[in-house]
Amino acid sequence: MKIFFNGEEMHVEDGVTLTDLVAGLIVDTRGVAIERNLAIVMKSKWDQTILADGDRLECVQFVGGGF
Amino acid sequence: MGEPTSTLALDDSWQVAGRRFSSRLIIGTGKYKDYAQNAAAAEAAGAEIVTVALRRINLSDPTQPRLTDFIDPKRYTFLPNTAGCFTAEDALRTLRLAREAGGWSLVKLEVLSDQKTLYPDMIETLAATQVLVKEGFDVMVYCSDDPVFARRLEDAGACAIMPLGAPIGSGLGIQNPVNIRLIVEAARVPVLVDAGVGTASDAAVAMELGCDGVLMNTAIAEAKNPVRMARAMKYAVQAGRDAYLAGRMGKKRYADPSSPLAGLI
């Protein structure tokens, strides 16, 4: 199935959780937050979150920035 | 004799949303050559709070340096800000994500109107402030230097009012000292000049107007020597604060000799 991760199209297997997806993409998940279809998924819920076709994920972290 | 200098309040700390800080200079973490230079500037500025932004994680280059490897969130208070947001909705999304990412509830809200001026959109800013306060955020709000809107923000529960001195990144200095002073006199929460400072004297002017602090980024990051400018800003903020507390002399239209007139030969 197809999902969008930070705007990029990706193909993932059925039944994949957010934890599985993140493990393959991000080495260090400290300070990372994820929004799924505009709703925040708390880190503690990543492993219970099974991705669905068409999911739009935004994955962010802190970077340098002024104003 | 006045107070001996040893008793002149060294503990001139300030508080925002129940958190106490001794440095009155908040610096940004954008536009630096690299995070190492940014860290050196934060050190030289004596800053205790740094603003940070939230952006999509970079998957194409996971080896990219991370801000937190250079600026320790245990040592500095990270102040997530909504730079780049042009609607209340975008700002709300950003700060909710920031709270999830870092666990901090103290945030800086800014909602901009257009790319050319980056002037705050006060209607959207007020709307976002109201929602964030309801959701339990402590919101420091970037705003125009309109004393009426400043009061509205305070009524909405903003924990700090942060009027611009001049447009973001312009370095023009405090364009409307009268309004900044009106805001300071009316506010019951800290007032910080946010944006517009170009050089040390601008920061001193903000503090002499009675502001509780100054927030800046470009003035330090785009100086020829950012670390030295960071130090200059530290001293300017301290000098301006001391001058404000000391109470300046009255202005006179004519000269007034400093040496006694009696006993002239």
Side-chain angles (χ1 to χ4, degrees), chain A residues 5-7 10 25-28 30-35 38 40-43 58-67, chain B residues 29-30 35 51-57 59 66-67 81 93 96-98 100-101 104 108 110 168 194-195 215-217:
Chain A
F5 189 93
N6 286 349
M10 282 184 187
L25 295 173
I26 304 165
V27 181
D28 184 355
R30 282 175 303 166
V32 169
I34 296 181
E35 198 184 57
L38 299 179
I40 290 173
V41 184
M42 283 173 17
K43 216 172 231 174
E58 286 291 335
C59 179
V60 297
Q61 67 176 3
F62 287 113
V63 300
F67 51 93
Chain B
T29 55
Y35 284 146
T51 64
V52 295
L54 205 65
R55 290 293 180 267
R56 281 174 166 176
I57 205 157
L59 292 180
R66 291 169 67 117
L67 173 70
N81 83 108
R93 268 182 81 192
R96 287 169 185 147
L97 279 165
E100 166 64 14
W104 301 292
K108 182 194 145 180
E110 67 175 54
I168 291 170
D194 179 356
L215 195 161
M216 67 181 75
N217 190 150

Side-chain angles (χ1 to χ4, degrees), chain A residues 11-29:
Chain A
H11 290 270
V12 296
E13 301 295 316
D14 284 1
V16 162
T17 67
L18 201 47
T19 304
D20 301 332
L21 178 77
V22 167
L25 295 173
I26 304 165
V27 181
D28 184 355
T29 62

